[in-house]
């Protein structure tokens, strides 16, 4: 019966349009290991331990086991034997089904994974405790279900009458209709519900409404939250306070956006991209799909945006973040700028130095001057002075260094890019210094586990983020063990690795513990070849020892966290971490990433001391056991955020607000507040690929294009400025970039107007090319990333992945005729229009805004907003890149919103198509630009006013304090 009921719950959830997976309770089986190992992990990689798993339940279990050993009744033994038997939780005997967790989600992208006892947050009811799934009769039936139910009940009554049943027997059956005793699935349709306990009630949430729930996560994750009360206004009041807080935060975020857009620097020259692509060919591996996306994101930031780049690359250790940085460094120096790479340790800096010299330094075809600035090369040393002078004079192209790069005496001639590796390892003071160095400089940050504040900025959209989740080929997940320290287990781990001809890392948290650890290892394996590495060794000694270990001259590298970054030794596939409770989450994850860099199975052992375990350290170790899959660095950072709290964002303490409603709901409320403030949140694209015949309208650089070639004094025919018009190379390149990346057609008119004042009337060839620049300004504003002709219909199709019906309705309402431009149709696929079929809005026809927005999902006040937001986020992730496309057939166009100009190929002759596009795109693009500028200004003013009010409030409090002191002294 139990198995049948579970199957029924899953099937009913499927009928409701969601997937339901039942998750087994904590698995007590041994983790997989090689034969011959006697190791058994103490903390398993199953579900998290619930807040409600208390010591009392363990005591009860031990008492029962004692009873069983004293010939207790066979019935109790039978009940408690076997993996499907009941267990004690909260002092209650619970069966297997009651302990099973659930994973529920939809094709749209939202998902929820919880186990009995986990705290959850429901948007309407507040913080509750998930208990179990149940089957209940549906409270609301559709018209079809109601008709089928009535027909089935009549059929049942007729069958009973035909079989000769008495009237009272038939009446008894009729009374059961619609109750839990009515087991007929047609007469009484059932629904899978999630049972959630609250302070004063139990709420049953339909499985298809589970997207309204999220697992409770907040700063003090170790502290049990108070359950909300369904009755009363307490939860509503708490939500309103948090909502007011998110509105203020949204104003700050949008004000920051506006400030960032005012920052400008000369973009990198697209004509140099040919050299970058040639450099990329020296990469010995095939890039993963996520790496390719990161390459494109960084290129767009550096070449196709006028504001300085500030991008975070989040990827697992060994997943290829360094190659993303390498190509960015090359792009900077190939453009004649300097580049710097900042690393937290000398070992990591030395590793990067060797890699960069090998790829682009002296002895290669590129021949760039690469230098290493490290500890011991201070400004008072001879080497330090010479290197700093060379950097200041521009003689060094790429400099790699540790904290010495942040010293006050450091200066660059023309720094174009700063790459920061393992950003989480730098403190507040270093980051404040970075802000001064990075003024109008592109910044690329690499990390495997972003700190909570950085992660929160990424999730809220404040910081541009690219994620590498796809692992390199043949890579295997590292098997992780967590256990109390045991010398026998250390022997097993090292012996296993030595048997297969490998090497081991042995890590301790403090230098003072190295001697004791080496003594222990020598006692176990007297012949073991051990070498040490730590931060207090003489200059270069640690790197020398690591290099010696990498050559296979030692069996074990005994080290502190100095090897956390930059050590890549494929033949080392076992790491033992002693006193793991003393390490932070990021450090534990980075250390585990030192192994598993080949196709061999890797092992990580996290040994701890029970006497020193705290609630948070236990959660960190549990996370290491749970999150062992490839690409789980972002999940580790999320768990760290859950354990430590969201902290401070934009200088405003928000962790208290997040704790009131849970971090997930807080971030959703922040997104909603930002959408309401922005009004028109149509996402711009940095670059549009125009694929019209004969290259018409394209501004992409190609070697075959006019002006192609690095020494021609121009970039491409579409945005080239003749050398006879602006003679100075630097000035001409700067003006080309300003025109190419003008944020609007109005801005482009201002740029060309300034040219007329400075250099005279525009040459005729430049006037013609300006139309293409105006076209691209319109396309970027409308979020169009690819334009091309459909070969079968001759229609011109413009894909705009971020366009939604609400956007088009708002844009058209601001046009002069309150209707879409004639000749410009818009098609919304069914999943974006809320209907069963694609929705097409014809150009030139009167637009019914209410009809376009009739889908209740598009109401910001409706609870359905959460599902809409998740689906839109997932839809944007699915977009195939259009950068390298050569025709519409190369990209997925018809699954996304798109503009369509019917019959352009046949109706409009070649050479006039840019004019035709401008005619229909200019009006809506101007509306978008004006509205977005207005929203930014509004947010900026609101943030300034609030800041002034806060200053006045502080001044008032200070004056009150002074007045109270005066009153006190005068009364003495």
């Amino acid at each position: 019966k139990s198995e049948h009921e579970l199957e029924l719950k899953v099937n009913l959830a499927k009928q409701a349009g969601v997937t339901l997976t039942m998750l087994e309770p904590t698995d007590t089986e041994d983790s997989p290991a090689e034969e011959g190992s006697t190791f058994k992990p103490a903390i398993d990689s199953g579900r998290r331990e619930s807040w409600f798993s208390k010591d009392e339940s363990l005591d009860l279990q031990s008492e029962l086991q004692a009873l069983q050993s004293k010939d207790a009744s066979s019935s109790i033994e039978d009940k408690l034997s076997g993996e499907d038997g009941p267990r004690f939780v909260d002092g209650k005997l619970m069966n297997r089904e009651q302990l099973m967790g659930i994973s529920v989600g939809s094709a749209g992208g939202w998902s929820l994974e919880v186990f009995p006892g986990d705290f959850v947050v429901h948007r309407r009811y507040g913080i509750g405790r998930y208990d179990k799934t149940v089957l209940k009769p549906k409270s609301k039936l559709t018209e079809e279900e109601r008709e089928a139910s009535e027909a089935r009940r009549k059929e049942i009554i007729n069958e009973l009458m035909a079989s000769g049943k008495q009237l009272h027997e038939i009446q008894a059956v009729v009374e059961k209709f619609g109750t839990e005793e009515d087991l007929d699935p047609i007469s009484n349709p059932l629904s899978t519900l999630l049972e959630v306990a609250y302070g004063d009630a139990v709420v049953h949430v339909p499985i298809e409404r589970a997207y309204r729930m999220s697992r409770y996560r907040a700063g003090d994750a170790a502290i049990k939250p108070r359950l909300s009360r369904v009755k009363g206004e307490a939860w509503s009041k708490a939500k309103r306070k948090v909502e007011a807080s998110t509105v203020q935060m949204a104003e700050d975020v949008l004000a920051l956006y506006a400030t960032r857009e005012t920052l400008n620097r000369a973009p990198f020259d697209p004509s140099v991209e040919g050299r970058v692509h040639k450099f990329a060919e020296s990469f010995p591996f095939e890039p993963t799909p996520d790496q390719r996306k990161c390459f494109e994101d960084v290129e767009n930031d550096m070449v196709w945006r006028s504001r300085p780049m500030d991008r975070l690359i989040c990827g697992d250790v060994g997943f290829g973040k360094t190659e993303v940085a390498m190509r960015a460094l090359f792009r900077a120096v190939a453009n004649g700028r300097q580049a710097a790479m900042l690393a937290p340790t000398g070992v990591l800096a030395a590793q990067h130095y060797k890699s960069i010299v090998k790829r682009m330094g002296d002895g290669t075809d590129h021949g760039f001057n690469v230098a290493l600035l490290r500890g011991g090369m201070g400004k008072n040393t001879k080497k330090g002075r010479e290197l700093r002078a060379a950097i200041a004079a521009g003689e060094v192209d790429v400099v790699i260094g540790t904290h010495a790069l942040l010293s006050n005496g450091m200066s660059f001639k023309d720094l174009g890019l700063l790459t920061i590796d393992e950003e989480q390892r730098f403190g507040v003071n270093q980051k404040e210094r970075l802000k001064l160095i990075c003024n109008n400089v592109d910044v690329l940050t690499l990390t495997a586990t972003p700190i909570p504040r950085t992660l929160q900025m990424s999730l809220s959209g404040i910081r541009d983020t690219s994620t590498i989740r796809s692992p390199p080929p043949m890579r295997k997940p590292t098997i992780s063990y967590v256990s109390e320290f045991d010398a026998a287990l250390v022997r097993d781990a090292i012996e296993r690795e030595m048997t297969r001809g490998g090497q081991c890392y042995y890590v301790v948290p403090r230098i003072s513990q190295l001697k004791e650890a080496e003594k222990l290892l020598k006692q176990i394996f007297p012949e073991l070849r051990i070498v040490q590495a730590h931060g207090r060794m003489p200059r270069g000694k640690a790197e020398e020892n690591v290099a010696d270990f990498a050559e296979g001259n030692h069996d074990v590298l005994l080290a502190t966290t100095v090897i956390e970054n930059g050590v890549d030794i494929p033949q080392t596939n076992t790491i033992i971490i002693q006193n793991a409770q003393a390490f932070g989450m990021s450090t534990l994850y980075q250390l585990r990433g030192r192994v598993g860099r080949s196709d061999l199975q890797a092992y990580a052992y996290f040994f701890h001391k029970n006497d020193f375990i705290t609630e948070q350290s236990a959660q960190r170790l549990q996370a290491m056991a749970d999150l062992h899959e490839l690409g789980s660095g972002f999940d580790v950072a999320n768990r760290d955020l859950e354990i430590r709290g969201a902290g401070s964002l934009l200088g405003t303490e928000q962790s208290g607000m997040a704790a009131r409603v849970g971090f997930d709901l807080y971030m959703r409320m922040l997104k909603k507040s930002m959408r309401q403030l922005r009004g028109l949140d149509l996402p711009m694209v940095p670059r549009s690929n125009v694929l019209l015949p004969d290259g018409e309208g394209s501004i992409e650089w190609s070697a075959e294009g006019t002006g192609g070639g690095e020494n021609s004094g121009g970039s491409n025919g579409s945005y080239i400025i003749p050398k006879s018009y602006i003679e100075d190379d630097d000035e001409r390149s700067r003006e080309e970039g300003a025109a190419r990346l003008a944020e609007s057609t109005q801005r482009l008119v201002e740029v060309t107007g300034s040219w007329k004042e400075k250099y005279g009337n525009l040459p005729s060839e430049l006037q013609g090319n300006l139309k293409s620049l105006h076209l691209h300004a319109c396309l970027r504003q409308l979020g169009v990333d690819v334009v091309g002709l459909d070969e079968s219909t001759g229609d011109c199709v413009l894909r705009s992945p971020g366009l939604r019906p609400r956007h088009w309705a708002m844009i058209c309402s601001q046009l002069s005729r309150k209707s879409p431009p004639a000749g410009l149709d818009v098609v919304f696929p069914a999943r974006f229009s809320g209907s069963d079929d694609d929705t097409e809005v014809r150009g030139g026809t009167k637009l019914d805004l209410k009809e376009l927005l009739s889908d209740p999902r598009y109401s910001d006040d409706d609870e359905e907003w959460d599902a809409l937001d998740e689906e839109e986020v997932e839809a944007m992730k699915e977009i195939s890149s259009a950068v390298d496309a050569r025709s519409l057939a190369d990209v997925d166009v018809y699954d996304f919103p798109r503009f369509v100009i019917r019959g352009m190929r046949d109706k409009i002759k070649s050479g006039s198509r840019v004019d035709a596009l401008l005619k229909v795109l200019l009006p809506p693009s101007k509306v978008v630009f004006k509205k977005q500028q207005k929203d930014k200004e509004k947010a900026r003013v609101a943030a300034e006013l609030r800041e002034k009010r806060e200053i006045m409030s502080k001044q008032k409090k200070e004056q009150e304090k002074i007045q109270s002191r005066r009153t006190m002294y005068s009364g003495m």
Side-chain angles (χ1 to χ4, degrees), residues 47-190:
R47 59 151 296 193
R48 304 175 310 281
E49 184 180 2
S50 167
W51 278 296
F52 286 84
S53 296
K54 299 184 185 299
D55 294 337
E56 289 81 355
S57 64
L58 299 176
D59 294 339
L60 286 167
Q61 287 175 342
S62 60
E63 287 179 22
L64 277 170
Q65 290 172 0
L67 286 172
Q68 291 175 32
S69 64
K70 296 179 180 179
D71 298 327
S73 66
S74 60
S75 61
I76 294 179
E77 277 190 18
D78 291 340
K79 288 179 182 178
L80 292 175
S81 63
E83 65 175 18
D84 291 341
R87 308 175 192 177
F88 274 100
V89 176
D90 281 348
K92 299 177 183 178
L93 198 63
M94 302 182 73
N95 60 32
R96 170 174 166 268
E97 183 187 348
Q98 291 172 311
L99 290 167
M100 293 182 76
I102 62 165
S103 176
V104 58
S106 77
W110 63 268
S111 62
L112 174 71
E113 182 178 310
V114 288
F115 283 85
D118 284 347
F119 291 106
V120 294
V121 183
H122 191 284
R123 293 196 65 211
R124 179 177 291 178
Y125 306 115
I127 301 172
R129 188 186 69 243
Y130 167 72
D131 284 343
K132 58 184 177 181
T133 56
V134 295
L135 290 172
K136 294 280 185 183
K138 280 189 175 181
S139 57
K140 294 181 180 180
L141 302 180
T142 64
E143 190 65 32
E144 292 180 358
E145 288 175 332
R146 189 178 295 107
E147 292 175 358
S149 175
E150 292 174 356
R152 177 59 181 151
R153 291 175 182 180
K154 289 179 181 178
E155 185 181 337
I156 291 173
I157 294 172
N158 291 335
E159 289 175 356
L160 292 173
M161 292 175 65
S163 63
K165 296 292 183 182
Q166 298 294 320
L167 183 62
H168 69 278
E169 293 178 311
I170 298 175
Q171 186 64 35
V173 173
V174 171
E175 289 176 356
K176 293 179 182 179
F177 285 158
T179 68
E180 293 186 9
E181 296 181 47
D182 184 358
L183 302 179
D184 190 290
I186 301 177
S187 167
N188 186 31
L190 297 177

